[in-house]
Amino acid sequence: MKRSEVDKEKLSPGMRQYYDIKEEYKEELLFYRLGDFYELFFEDGEIASRELELTLTSKNAGLEERVPMCGVPFHSVKPYIEKLVNKGYKVAICEQLEDPKNAKGMVKRGVVEVISKGSIVDSDLLNEHDHNYIASVLDFSFTYVLCYADISTGTLNVMNVQHNKEKLLNEILNLKIKEVLLKDNTDVELISTLKGNYGIEVSISDGFLEEGIEKLLNTVEDIRFKEGIKHILYYLIVRELKSIDHIKSVNVINSDDYLEMDVHTIRNLELVETLRLKERMYSLLWLLDKTKTSMGSRKLKEYLIHPLKDKKRIEERFDKITVLNNEFILKDRLRDALYEVYDIERLCGKVACGSLNARDLLQLKNSLKVLPTIKEIVSELKFDYEINTHNELYELLERGIYEEPPVTLKEGYLIKEGYNEELDELKSIRSGGKNFIAEFENKLKESTGIKNLKVGYTRVFGYFIEVSKGQVKEISPDLNWERRQTLANAERFISPELKEKEALILNAEEKIIELEYNLFNEIKEQVKQVLISLKDTAEILSELDALASLAVCAEEYGFVRPTLNENHTIDIKDGFHPVIMKVSSEAFVPNDCCMNEQISTLLITGPNMSGKSTYMRQLAIIVIMAQMGSFVPAKSANLPIIDKIFTRIGASDDLVSGESTFMVEMNEAKNALVNATENSLVLFDELGRGTATYDGMSLAYAILEYVNEHIKCKTLFSTHYHELTALEREIPSIKNIHVSAYEEDGKITFLHKIKNGAVDKSYGIHVAKLAGMPKEVTDRATTILASYEQKKEKNSSNDKVQLSMQFEEPKQEDPIQKFLNGVDPVYMTPIEAINTLYELKKLMSDSKKM
C-alpha cells in the first residue's frame, strides 16, 4: 500500500499525525517515535525492512487494509541509522515533544533532526581521522564556488574553483566530500559522475538563507562566496534542522597558498591510502600519524593534503619541530597530556546540535583538566599559543556531573550532590524512605502488638501494611487504616501516616529525574556560551598534536630539516622512501637526487623491479613532506618551493569511467603539460607503454622535447625506450641516470643504486624468471630475443649521434616492377619489344647505382 493512495480523512488520529509530518519530509525515511520504538510506515517501512533486514509487519490505521510497518528500538537506533545513511538514504527523526503523562489528547510530535551522509554529528558514526564534509556547488558560468562544511566540528570553508569540471571533481575528491548540494538538477553529467563513478550523494536544494547569519556573511567580502554560504546553510539549518552556534567564521581558501596536487597524484603517491587495498595502513599518512588526539590526526591530514607554498610558514613549523626535539622531555610531557584530551571539536558539535549526553560532558571535563599542564609546557617551549584553560567551565562540570552517569538523560544520576539544594533535599527524602519504612514497621509492631506485621511496597499498589488473616481482628478502628488489598492469607492496609510518606517518596523519584534533566540542560547552555572559545582551544591543541607527531617521526626515522632555496635547485643526499624503509624486511638503499638550475629532466633507465618508480615517488614525497612543514627522509636536502606536482605512475585501467590504460596515461600527461609551470614537479613513469612501440616512443620523445623547451619544470622521466637516452646530447637540460643491476651467469641482482649515464638493457626475461615463470617460456623468450638482437645489429646505423629510433622506412615501389606492370607483350610489335627491352636494361643499370 502506498501513502499517496490513502484517503487521509479515513486515517486514525495517530496515523493522521504521522501523515502530516511525512508530507513535510517526503524524501527522507521518517523514524516516528512511538513509546520505546521508532516506527516506519508505508513505503518507508518497506524500504527499511528490506535494507535493514527487519520483519515487515502491519498496523491498523483506520483503513480497511492494514498499512505496512517496521520498527527499531529507540535505545539502539544508531546502527540502523548508520546503515541507511551509508546506503544513501536520508533519515528524519520524529520525537515526542511532550511527556505523554502530561499530554492532553494526542502527544505532540515533530522532526528534530534530519541526517544525511554529509551532516552526521554523532561521533560514534564518524571516522575519527577524517572530516565529514558536505558541500554546496554554485555555477557562476565563469567560475564555480565550492562552499564546504563539517557540521560535526563546526568548520565552514569557501573557495573559487576554475570553471572546469575536472578541477571541480579534483577538489571534491581530494576533500573526500560525502554529499554535494546543487541548486538544480540540470547538470546531468556532473550528477552522474558524482553518484555513478564515485558514490557521492547529490542533493538538490534551491533555498538560500537570508536571515540570522549576518555575522558569518560579514566575514567574507566576495558576493559569490556569500551566495554559497547562504545556499549550504539553508540546507543545514532549514532542511536538516542543524544548529551552527559552533561555527564562528568562514575560512576563505586560496588555492594559490598551497602546493597543488590532483587526485591522481595523491593516489599514485599513496599519501592517504594504498593503491592496491585502498587502506590507510602503509600509506604516508599512516607512517606520519603518531598523534594522540583525533583532532591532531585530522590536522595532520590537512597538512599532508595541502602543503604550503609560503616559505615563512613552512620555516615556522620547522622551528617548532626543532624545539620539540631539542626539548624532548617537554615533548614527551606534552604528548602524555594530549593523550588525556578527547575530541573537543566534535564534542562542541554535539553541544551545538543538542545530541550531547552526560558522558560527553565528562569527556569535556577530563579534557579541560589537563589544559593548565599543556599551557605550562607550551610556555616553557616558548611557542606563540595563547591557551584558554576554561577554569570556570571545568569547575562547573566538576561540581555538577556524576562520574559514572547513564547514557540516556531520563534515568537520573546525572547531577552530583551539593550542586543544587532542592535536588539534595529530594535525594534525602528518597534515600530516607528505606530507613523510614524499617522504623515505621518496628513502631507499628510495638504499638499494635502484631509481631508478624510487615510494611512493603509494590509498583501497582504502592506502600502497604500487611497483616495475616488471623490477626486482622487485633487492628483497632482508632488507627484509621484503609483496606488496600485482600490476599488469600493476609490483608493489606494503608495508614494516614504511610500514605503521606508514600506521596513524598514516590514524587521525590519523579521530581529528581525531572530536576536533574533541567539542571543538565542548564549546564549544557553554559557550555554553549563558550563554544567558540572551546573551538579556538581545540584548534591550538590539534596543531600542537600534529607538530609533535612530526617531531616524533623525525627523531624515530632519522629525518632531517631541509633547506629551502629560491634558485630552482634540487640537491638531496641519501634520500629514501620512508614507508618502504619502515616496512621492508630488506635494507633500503638511499639515493641522491641532484638537479641544478641547468638540469630540468632526469631520464631514468634501468631494469624492471630495480626501483625506478620508488626513486621517483620518494622525490615527490620529500618535496611534499618539506612543504607540509615536516623534516624529510634524507641525509640532507636543499629544495625549491614547488607550486604543483603531477604524476603518471603505474598502469591501471579506469574501469569506473571505462577508459583504457593508454587513455588514462594520456589524460594524466595532458593535465601535466597543460597546467605545469616552471616551478612544478612532473613524474612520468614509462609514459607511452600503453600503445604500440613506435607510437609510444614518438609520444615520449615529443613530450620530453615539449617539457624541456616550453615548460622547463623539474621532471623525472623513466623509460624502457633506450633510444631516448640520445636526447641528452641534443637537449642540454636532460640528464641520463640509471638504476644499476649486476648480471652473472644469467642471474640478475638489483643494486637499487642510482648512477649517472644510461643503460641499454631491460632484463625483462630475468624478472620473469624471478617471478617464477615456467622455464620453457623464459628459454623460448631468450631465443626469440637473441634473434631480434641479431636483426637489430644488422640494421643498426653507424651514426650514433642521431637519435637511434629505428623506424621502418615506408616501402617504395620497385621501378622495374612498376615498368613491367605497364607492359602487355600480347599486343606488342617487334619494334616496341626492342624499345621495351632497352628501357628495362636502362632501369636495371640505374637501380644498381642507387
Side-chain angles (χ1 to χ4, degrees), residues 378-445:
V378 168
S379 177
E380 290 184 53
L381 291 168
K382 295 182 173 56
F383 286 172
D384 53 346
Y385 294 116
E386 290 295 329
I387 298 176
N388 185 340
T389 55
H390 303 280
N391 293 330
E392 291 184 5
L393 179 58
Y394 173 75
E395 292 299 328
L396 172 68
L397 298 177
E398 173 65 20
R399 285 188 300 109
I401 304 299
Y402 257 131
E403 296 301 331
E404 295 182 1
V407 177
T408 63
L409 302 178
K410 293 294 184 74
E411 297 180 35
Y413 299 97
L414 299 175
I415 307 298
K416 283 182 175 179
E417 292 180 9
Y419 181 78
N420 179 274
E421 289 184 9
E422 182 184 354
L423 181 62
D424 289 347
E425 186 178 341
L426 289 168
K427 287 182 177 179
S428 176
I429 293 172
R430 181 179 64 183
S431 62
K434 294 180 180 178
N435 296 333
F436 166 79
I437 296 303
E439 293 173 3
F440 185 64
E441 185 178 291
N442 290 331
K443 177 183 171 183
L444 286 179
K445 286 179 180 179

Side-chain angles (χ1 to χ4, degrees), residues 309-417:
K309 284 162 54 178
D310 186 331
K311 184 179 178 182
K312 182 181 177 183
R313 292 177 64 190
I314 296 170
E315 294 283 4
E316 285 174 356
R317 291 182 187 173
F318 290 162
D319 291 342
K320 288 185 170 72
I321 292 173
T322 301
V323 170
L324 285 167
N325 278 340
N326 289 339
E327 301 288 349
F328 56 89
I329 295 176
L330 288 176
K331 177 183 69 179
D332 290 343
R333 284 181 57 204
L334 174 63
R335 298 183 77 234
D336 289 342
L338 287 168
Y339 185 70
E340 303 298 321
V341 176
Y342 290 85
D343 197 336
I344 297 177
E345 284 183 331
R346 284 189 167 154
L347 289 173
C348 288
K350 283 188 170 186
V351 173
C353 295
S355 60
L356 194 80
N357 61 33
R359 294 185 182 183
D360 294 325
L361 284 185
L362 268 186
Q363 290 185 357
L364 181 58
K365 185 195 81 172
N366 292 332
S367 301
L368 300 180
K369 184 178 181 179
V370 296
L371 288 185
T373 301
I374 294 174
K375 183 172 183 176
E376 178 189 341
I377 295 169
V378 168
S379 177
E380 290 184 53
L381 291 168
K382 295 182 173 56
F383 286 172
D384 53 346
Y385 294 116
E386 290 295 329
I387 298 176
N388 185 340
T389 55
H390 303 280
N391 293 330
E392 291 184 5
L393 179 58
Y394 173 75
E395 292 299 328
L396 172 68
L397 298 177
E398 173 65 20
R399 285 188 300 109
I401 304 299
Y402 257 131
E403 296 301 331
E404 295 182 1
V407 177
T408 63
L409 302 178
K410 293 294 184 74
E411 297 180 35
Y413 299 97
L414 299 175
I415 307 298
K416 283 182 175 179
E417 292 180 9

Side-chain angles (χ1 to χ4, degrees), residues 179-308:
E179 184 176 0
V180 172
L181 307 177
L182 300 177
K183 186 179 175 183
D184 52 50
N185 59 3
T186 55
D187 196 336
V188 177
E189 181 188 355
L190 179 61
I191 294 172
S192 175
T193 303
L194 289 171
K195 295 184 75 170
N197 291 10
Y198 301 106
I200 297 172
E201 188 64 27
V202 176
S203 299
I204 306 301
S205 173
D206 59 0
F208 291 80
L209 193 62
E210 301 293 342
E211 298 178 355
I213 56 171
E214 289 77 13
K215 286 185 178 179
L216 284 176
L217 292 177
N218 290 336
T219 61
V220 299
E221 296 181 0
D222 194 313
I223 296 175
R224 297 165 301 180
F225 288 172
K226 291 179 187 286
E227 291 300 299
I229 295 165
K230 290 177 183 179
H231 187 236
I232 194 170
L233 291 186
Y234 174 87
Y235 183 81
L236 289 172
I237 295 172
V238 178
R239 287 299 306 166
E240 302 220 326
L241 306 174
K242 297 293 190 297
S243 169
I244 60 164
D245 290 343
H246 56 319
I247 300 178
K248 69 170 183 176
S249 62
V250 182
N251 305 313
V252 177
I253 306 298
N254 185 354
S255 56
D256 292 336
D257 293 341
Y258 303 101
L259 189 162
E260 182 181 320
M261 297 181 287
D262 61 20
V263 67
H264 307 296
T265 297
I266 291 173
R267 180 191 64 197
N268 289 335
L269 296 178
E270 299 185 307
L271 297 186
V272 295
E273 64 181 20
T274 57
L275 273 169
R276 179 175 294 179
L277 299 177
K278 309 294 182 187
E279 292 181 352
R280 194 172 189 269
M281 181 174 281
Y282 303 132
S283 68
L284 180 61
L285 180 60
W286 164 80
L287 181 84
L288 298 179
D289 192 353
K290 298 189 181 296
T291 57
K292 295 293 186 178
T293 69
S294 301
M295 302 178 294
S297 183
R298 293 193 295 270
K299 179 62 68 177
L300 186 67
K301 185 177 180 181
E302 286 179 26
Y303 284 179
L304 182 58
I305 297 300
H306 296 110
L308 301 169

Side-chain angles (χ1 to χ4, degrees), residues 43-151:
E43 295 96 325
D44 287 5
E46 293 172 349
I47 292 170
S49 69
R50 181 180 68 249
E51 300 290 0
L52 301 175
E53 299 179 3
L54 299 172
T55 301
L56 183 66
T57 60
S58 60
K59 180 181 177 67
N60 185 359
L63 305 172
E64 294 180 4
E65 186 180 346
R66 295 170 69 88
V67 301
M69 177 191 82
C70 77
V72 296
F74 86 96
H75 56 79
S76 59
V77 72
K78 284 183 183 179
Y80 298 108
I81 292 175
E82 180 183 19
K83 192 171 183 179
L84 288 170
V85 170
N86 286 338
K87 286 175 176 282
Y89 295 99
K90 297 177 186 176
V91 173
I93 306 297
C94 179
E95 293 285 3
Q96 296 170 171
L97 302 181
E98 59 181 345
D99 192 330
K101 295 178 182 177
N102 303 326
K104 295 181 179 178
M106 185 69 60
V107 176
K108 188 182 295 184
R109 292 181 175 84
V111 172
V112 296
E113 183 183 14
V114 175
I115 304 171
S116 60
K117 264 189 182 180
S119 64
I120 301 172
V121 177
D122 194 331
S123 54
D124 294 339
L125 306 179
L126 295 171
N127 183 337
E128 64 179 346
H129 301 296
D130 283 327
H131 280 288
N132 192 66
Y133 285 130
I134 182 172
S136 157
V137 175
L138 293 182
D139 187 343
F140 286 92
S141 298
F142 53 92
T143 186
Y144 290 110
V145 167
L146 181 68
C147 185
Y148 57 99
D150 181 352
I151 198 70

Side-chain angles (χ1 to χ4, degrees), residues 365 673 711:
K365 185 195 81 172
L673 297 182
I711 305 175

Side-chain angles (χ1 to χ4, degrees), residues 433-485:
K434 294 180 180 178
N435 296 333
F436 166 79
I437 296 303
E439 293 173 3
F440 185 64
E441 185 178 291
N442 290 331
K443 177 183 171 183
L444 286 179
K445 286 179 180 179
E446 291 177 7
S447 63
T448 61
I450 305 173
K451 299 304 180 185
N452 63 354
L453 172 150
K454 65 179 181 180
V455 179
Y457 172 80
T458 66
R459 298 186 67 178
V460 177
F461 293 100
Y463 287 95
F464 58 82
I465 304 164
E466 185 175 295
V467 180
S468 65
K469 291 265 184 160
Q471 292 183 309
V472 169
K473 59 180 181 289
E474 296 181 24
I475 300 173
S476 170
D478 296 337
L479 295 174
N480 294 322
W481 288 5
E482 296 178 14
R483 194 182 303 275
R484 174 155 279 189
Q485 187 183 10

